[in-house]
Amino acid sequence: MEEYTREPCPYRIGDDIGSAFAMGLVGGSIFQAFGGYKNAAKGQKLVGMFREVRMRSTLTGVQFAAWGGMFSTIDCCMVAIRKKEDPINSIVSGGLTGALLAIRSGPKVMAGSAVLGSVILAMIEGVGLVTNRWMGSMMDPTAPPPEALDDPRNLPPPKSQTEPGVDSSRPFGLPSALPNLS
């Protein structure tokens, strides 16, 4: 159902490019920080971390944005061609995106990237469908409510617990008098 609440296609491409860049930038920063820390000299660990993050995390963000933009563009083309929006579009878009991004590496690598892209998107779509079905059954408005929670009058009567020195007529069970300390 989340597919139907997304932006229309021309705007979706821009949204996906921006969110993919942000994910790549954050993920690349974390990944490059570990590499910079590991490869820095003994007294320069923090400086090495920040240098690697500054120099390389934007590249990861741009690569993610290229993948997200191409995927979203192909997905919008599939929606326009097939006239329906379903998981098949995403799976085919993942395969075509993987193939097109690996086109300079030759047909063998291109085919492997296409299969990998399709499999990854199929797993993502499968998890999304299972989650939606599971959550949909939990939030079914036509399901009868649980019997125990229907009416508070069905609860057992409260146990009266009276402690010595506690006046039940006073609010919050405050003691009626201070204890005799003598």
Side-chain angles (χ1 to χ4, degrees):
M1 286 307 271
E2 73 184 39
E3 293 291 324
Y4 303 109
T5 61
R6 294 179 66 189
E7 292 287 328
C9 264
Y11 304 108
R12 183 185 306 180
I13 296 169
D15 286 349
D16 287 349
I17 289 172
S19 60
F21 177 76
M23 284 190 297
L25 189 65
V26 170
S29 296
I30 294 168
F31 183 77
Q32 297 300 336
F34 282 119
Y37 183 83
K38 182 180 127 187
N39 296 328
K42 185 169 179 150
Q44 302 290 314
K45 297 286 186 182
L46 196 60
V47 173
M49 255 177 43
F50 286 128
R51 182 182 60 244
E52 290 298 313
V53 167
R54 189 182 72 235
M55 298 297 286
R56 297 186 183 199
S57 63
T58 54
L59 178 63
T60 307
V62 169
Q63 289 170 344
F64 268 67
W67 197 97
M70 186 173 288
F71 172 81
S72 193
T73 302
I74 294 171
D75 191 35
C76 286
C77 290
M78 293 294 295
V79 169
I81 291 168
R82 295 185 66 225
K83 303 285 189 243
K84 63 171 136 175
E85 198 163 333
D86 59 358
I88 300 295
N89 292 345
S90 295
I91 294 168
V92 170
S93 298
L96 285 174
T97 300
L100 290 174
L101 288 176
I103 200 165
R104 297 187 317 171
S105 300
K108 192 175 184 180
V109 173
M110 192 171 142
S113 293
V115 168
L116 183 65
S118 294
V119 167
I120 289 173
L121 265 296
M123 288 190 310
I124 290 171
E125 289 294 327
V127 167
L129 288 174
V130 167
T131 304
N132 282 341
R133 184 163 298 180
W134 179 65
M135 293 299 284
S137 68
M138 288 178 55
M139 299 294 193
D140 186 12
T142 61
E147 294 298 323
L149 300 178
D150 275 347
D151 192 1
R153 291 177 289 183
N154 293 338
L155 295 174
K159 298 177 184 174
S160 91
Q161 297 176 347
T162 57
E163 296 178 22
V166 176
D167 186 7
S168 61
S169 65
R170 298 201 47 172
F172 306 113
L174 295 173
S176 56
L178 291 174
N180 207 354
L181 297 176
S182 55

